[in-house]
Amino acid sequence: MATKNVSDSERRGGAAPGGRLYKRVADELRAAILAGKYAPGRRLPAERELGEMFNVSRPTVREAVIALELQGLVEVRVGAGVFVLEPGTAERARGSGPELTIGARSN
């Protein structure tokens, strides 16, 4: 009987099919946020706890949090933690309202 060599990432749950491990964690956290498990304004569990929950390293959790931050779902507050944002907060912060043209004229 042949034995299969198992990588560390496979032992920890492996990467998402066709993707990276942090993406699987980010997808699961996103689903939990959108399902209401973590309400807007609520702090997510600490990196260590999330790592234990998903059976991944803290750097993997950090990458997942960065992905969620880029999607506008969470805000990282240094020294305080990661907080779930109100829906639409990121769009307002990025200024996705009407485009302003300063100094240009149309004749």
Side-chain angles (χ1 to χ4, degrees):
M1 182 164 114
T3 58
K4 178 183 174 196
N5 290 333
V6 179
S7 70
D8 285 339
S9 69
E10 288 175 315
R11 250 185 243 112
R12 291 187 310 241
R20 300 198 178 264
L21 189 55
Y22 83 88
K23 186 166 177 3
R24 177 180 62 86
V25 174
D27 289 345
E28 290 186 37
L29 282 171
R30 182 186 319 100
I33 290 169
L34 296 176
K37 181 175 180 181
Y38 301 108
R42 182 171 171 203
R43 188 171 74 80
L44 292 181
E47 279 180 1
R48 181 180 46 79
E49 293 175 55
L50 289 171
E52 290 171 1
M53 287 170 52
F54 293 104
N55 197 28
V56 297
S57 66
R58 288 175 64 186
T60 299
V61 171
R62 269 187 229 116
E63 287 185 49
V65 167
I66 290 168
L68 295 174
E69 187 176 27
L70 291 173
Q71 294 170 22
L73 292 172
V74 298
E75 174 185 32
V76 178
R77 298 180 194 161
V78 179
V82 179
F83 292 82
V84 177
L85 292 175
E86 291 283 341
T89 301
E91 289 79 15
R92 286 192 303 273
R94 281 194 289 262
S96 63
E99 189 174 323
L100 295 177
T101 307
I102 300 174
R105 291 180 161 193
S106 60
N107 293 354

